[in-house]
């Protein structure tokens, strides 16, 4: 009991001493701080994505300022009952920076994000630093982050804006890069047959041009901030595609189903036509288009050619038009404009447009939509269907 009383007395006296000093030093002029000066002085990355509990200073960093002139900063240690911190400040003459002096919402006195649900970001509100939670929808655009650039003697591996490796021609086959859509054989073929000096091949994609104004992120940050599903989705679509990264509170609503059948045109080969119709469905099924954005179908979807004397080059991907008619009906019923690469005729897909990555659909809603496509049956009677799912904010 005596030991407990002695400890309580020590704590009380230490706090009393701190309060007396706090009052005395309150008359000493403190250094004027603003969110901007603190961010500039300590290289705080405004725009960075953050989760609840993350420090705006990054890992293993603290800001210590002279106790003299900043004695009021002891108050947040007092409120946290941080006796050890108070005694350390009094003995060393430095005190942890109190971020409540330069911050608005979402940041505690120690510079940690608080009260954030989902991937927030650091920003300015007036002259204050704030961590804001994500909007109902957050989207951005995929962009090359790690890529190969063909040179006179091989390839450079570039990450961000930095060349991290130069690889001679005879070593390209040994590069250890691959995903579901390319491998070393793809890279070698690109180098030998498709690329000129200066041409690039995207290995990994970052995200840029965020709808809420946060900073661009590299490919290593994308899965941490927005999840592996975003990485997998972006890999399926051409670089530069709009990517829906986050959805908050919404209601899912499905539109009407529109369908057609493959039909028969033996002059083009009905078996080839069926393959192409299914490939078109594969290219567009699951495509999510953010608000007021335009997207194509998937990349890495290939079509069979059928002989056609009227087509440029004497061949075309016949069979895609029935699928395109179903998609066209669904998007026009939604109030979207006619997709680029299509017309209003029976043939639907214009010559010269890749039916997957060349056609684009524009979503003029203020909420995201998803394109659903599927087939039923097989052969010339195969049914082809399209439907729009709306993600409407609550």
């Amino acid at each position: 009991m005596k030991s407990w009383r002695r400890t309580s007395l020590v704590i009380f006296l230490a706090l009393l001493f701190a309060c007396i000093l706090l009052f005395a030093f309150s008359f000493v002029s403190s250094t004027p701080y603003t969110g901007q000066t603190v961010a500039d002085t300590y290289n705080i990355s405004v725009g960075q994505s953050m989760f609840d509990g993350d420090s705006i200073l990054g890992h293993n960093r603290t800001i210590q300022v002279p106790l003299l002139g900043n004695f009021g900063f002891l108050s947040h240690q007092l409120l946290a009952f941080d006796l050890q911190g108070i005694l350390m400040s009094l003995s060393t003459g430095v005190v942890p920076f109190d971020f409540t002096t330069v911050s608005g919402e979402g940041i505690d006195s120690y510079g940690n994000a608080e009260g954030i649900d989902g991937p927030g970001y650091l920003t300015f509100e007036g002259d204050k630093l704030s961590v804001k939670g994500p909007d109902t929808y957050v989207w951005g655009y995929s962009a090359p982050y790690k890529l190969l650039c063909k040179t006179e003697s091989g390839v450079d591996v570039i990450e961000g804006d930095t060349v991290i490796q130069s690889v001679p021609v005879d070593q390209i086959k040994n590069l250890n890069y691959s995903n579901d859509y390319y491998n070393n054989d793809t890279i070698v073929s690109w180098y030998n047959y498709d690329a000129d000096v200066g041409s690039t091949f995207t290995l990994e994609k970052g995200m840029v041009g965020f709808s809420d104004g946060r900073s661009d992120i590299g490919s290593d940050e994308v899965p941490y901030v927005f999840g592996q599903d975003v990485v997998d989705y972006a890999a399926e679509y051409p670089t530069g595609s709009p990517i829906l990264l986050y959805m908050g509170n919404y209601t899912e609503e499905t539109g009407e189903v529109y369908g057609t059948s493959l039909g028969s045109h033996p002059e083009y080969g009905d078996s080839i036509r069926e393959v192409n119709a299914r490939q078109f469905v594969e290219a567009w099924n699951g495509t999510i288009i953010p608000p007021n954005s335009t997207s194509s179908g998937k990349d890495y979807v290939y079509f069979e050619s059928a002989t056609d004397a009227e087509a440029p080059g004497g061949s075309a991907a016949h069979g895609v038009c029935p699928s395109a008619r179903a998609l066209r009906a669904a998007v026009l019923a939604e109030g979207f404009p006619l997709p680029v690469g299509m017309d209003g005729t029976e043939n639907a897909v214009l010559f010269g447009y890749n039916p997957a990555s060349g056609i684009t659909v524009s979503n003029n809603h203020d909420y995201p939509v998803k394109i659903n496509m599927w087939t039923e049956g097989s052969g010339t009677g195969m049914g082809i269907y399209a439907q729009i799912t709306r993600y409407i904010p609550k």
Side-chain angles (χ1 to χ4, degrees), residues 75 146 157 188 221 251 261 265 268 345:
S75 61
K146 181 179 284 187
V157 182
V188 170
E221 294 181 87
T251 299
S261 61
H265 288 276
Y268 301 127
T345 68

Side-chain angles (χ1 to χ4, degrees), residues 80 214 249 298 364 387:
R214 71 180 69 204
N249 202 10
K298 298 180 179 75
N364 56 21
Q387 181 187 48

Side-chain angles (χ1 to χ4, degrees), residues 340-353:
V340 171
M342 290 190 189
D343 66 15
T345 68
E346 184 76 4
N347 290 330
V349 178
L350 298 171
F351 287 131
Y353 286 86

Side-chain angles (χ1 to χ4, degrees), residues 149-210:
C149 180
K150 182 170 181 175
T151 67
E152 296 283 359
S153 58
V155 294
D156 285 338
V157 182
I158 301 173
E159 185 170 314
D161 297 321
T162 303
V163 175
I164 62 173
Q165 185 182 6
S166 293
V167 182
V169 174
D170 61 351
Q171 293 299 312
I172 294 175
K173 64 181 182 296
N174 298 322
L175 284 170
N176 189 28
Y177 296 114
S178 65
N179 65 13
D180 290 342
Y181 305 100
Y182 71 83
N183 55 27
N184 282 4
D185 290 339
T186 315
I187 292 171
V188 170
S189 177
W190 163 80
Y191 183 88
N192 288 332
Y193 304 110
D194 301 324
D196 298 318
V197 172
S199 296
T200 59
F201 183 97
T202 299
L203 300 170
E204 297 176 7
K205 298 175 183 178
M207 292 291 155
V208 302
F210 286 94

